[in-house]
Amino acid sequence: EVQLVESGGGLVQPGGSLRLSCTGSGFTFSSYEMNWVRQVPGKGLEWISYIMSGGSPIYYADSVKGRFTISRDDAKNSVYLQLNSLRAEDTAIYYCVRKTVGTTWFDPWGQGTLVTVSS
Amino acid sequence: QSVLTQPPSVSGAPGQRVTISCTGSSSNIGTRYEVHWYQQLPGTVPKLLIYANTYRPSGVPDRFSGSKSGTSASLAITGLQAEDEADYYCQSYDISLSAWVFGGGTKLTVL
C-alpha cells in the first residue's frame, strides 16, 4: 500500500522555525516528485513547494519563497520542509503529496500535520 | 482569493445530478494543462477523484465525471448519494505563476 506519513507539526511562536518530515512507503520513493500542500482548517488548499526526483529543480509558492526550504533524502524515503520566519497566516495543516513525473495531479496525500503559529 | 473559481456550495437531492464548475484563465485551464478534481470527505484528507480532465482512478464510481472546455472545467455527479457530501476542489497548473493552483472548493450538500 502506498503511504505518506508526515510529522513535525506543532505550536510555534511567530518568527520561529519548524521542520516537517514526510516518509513514504509502498513505492519507489526516488522515482517520484514530492510536494507540500497546506490547508488552513476549514479553508481551501494551497500548493507551496515542489522537489523533483533527484532533488532538483525546486519550486516554491510566492507566499513562502525565501522562508521555507524543501529537501529530500531518498535513502530514507523522506522529504522535508523547513519552515522559518513563521507567521500567523502560516497556521495550517501541511500535507505531503506525491506527483508522478510527467503528470500534474497529486496522489496520494499524507494524513497531514498541523502547524500552529501563535504567541 | 483562489486562482481557479468554484461556487462555494451546491446541493441536490438523493438520486439527482449536480455539477460543479471551475473557472480559470488562459494561463491555466486555457492551456494544455489538464484539470483534476479532489474529494475531501468531512474530517479526512483530499482524495484524487478525477485526473487529466476526464479519467477516474480505480475505485471511483462512474457516477463521477469530468470535462474541460476552454478556460473552464466541470465535475458532474449523477445518482447523488448521501456519502457524496463533501468538499470538492479543482486543480490545474498556471504557467504565469509557475505554480500548481487550486479552486477555493465547493461544499456539496445532499438534501
Side-chain angles (χ1 to χ4, degrees):
Chain A
E1 180 196 3
V2 174
Q3 199 170 13
L4 296 168
V5 178
E6 302 95 333
S7 61
L11 175 64
V12 60
Q13 292 188 337
S17 298
L18 215 52
R19 189 194 194 210
L20 308 183
S21 300
C22 168
T23 300
S25 60
F27 63 101
T28 304
F29 188 86
S30 60
S31 297
Y32 288 84
E33 303 166 348
M34 299 302 297
N35 294 260
W36 289 92
V37 175
R38 68 183 179 184
Q39 182 176 36
V40 174
K43 302 295 184 183
L45 302 167
E46 179 189 17
W47 168 83
I48 56 172
S49 189
Y50 158 98
I51 185 167
M52 185 175 273
S53 54
S56 175
I58 286 172
Y59 303 122
Y60 299 99
D62 288 344
S63 58
V64 305
K65 200 172 295 182
R67 301 187 299 123
F68 292 6
T69 303
I70 192 172
S71 61
R72 63 189 295 161
D73 184 342
D74 290 340
K76 295 183 178 180
N77 289 346
S78 294
V79 61
Y80 308 98
L81 189 67
Q82 178 69 39
L83 288 62
N84 295 333
S85 303
L86 282 162
R87 308 165 180 166
E89 55 264 35
D90 294 319
T91 294
I93 300 168
Y94 285 72
Y95 296 105
C96 170
V97 295
R98 187 185 75 170
K99 190 176 92 58
T100 300
V101 175
T103 71
T104 56
W105 61 87
F106 303 123
D107 181 57
W109 297 55
Q111 88 286 351
T113 187
L114 177 62
V115 172
T116 303
V117 184
S118 175
S119 55
Chain B
Q1 188 91 3
S2 300
V3 174
L4 306 180
T5 301
Q6 298 179 234
S9 63
V10 297
S11 63
Q16 283 190 333
R17 177 181 187 271
V18 296
T19 61
I20 298 173
S21 61
C22 176
T23 303
S25 70
S26 57
S27 61
N28 42 66
I29 296 179
T31 68
R32 64 180 178 87
Y33 288 102
E34 304 131 330
V35 176
H36 321 297
W37 293 89
Y38 301 87
Q39 178 192 56
Q40 187 172 29
L41 296 168
T44 69
V45 304
K47 183 191 86 167
L48 183 66
L49 187 68
I50 298 287
Y51 67 95
N53 303 327
T54 61
Y55 296 92
R56 289 184 308 275
S58 174
V60 173
D62 60 7
R63 301 186 296 104
F64 295 89
S65 63
S67 64
K68 171 185 163 179
S69 179
T71 58
S72 295
S74 289
L75 172 70
I77 310 172
T78 59
L80 207 56
Q81 299 181 6
E83 58 259 37
D84 298 333
E85 197 160 276
D87 293 323
Y88 293 85
Y89 295 90
C90 60
Q91 177 247 314
S92 186
Y93 182 80
D94 192 290
I95 59 175
S96 296
L97 298 173
S98 296
W100 289 267
V101 292
F102 289 91
T106 298
K107 182 176 182 59
L108 168 63
T109 300
V110 180
L111 302 170

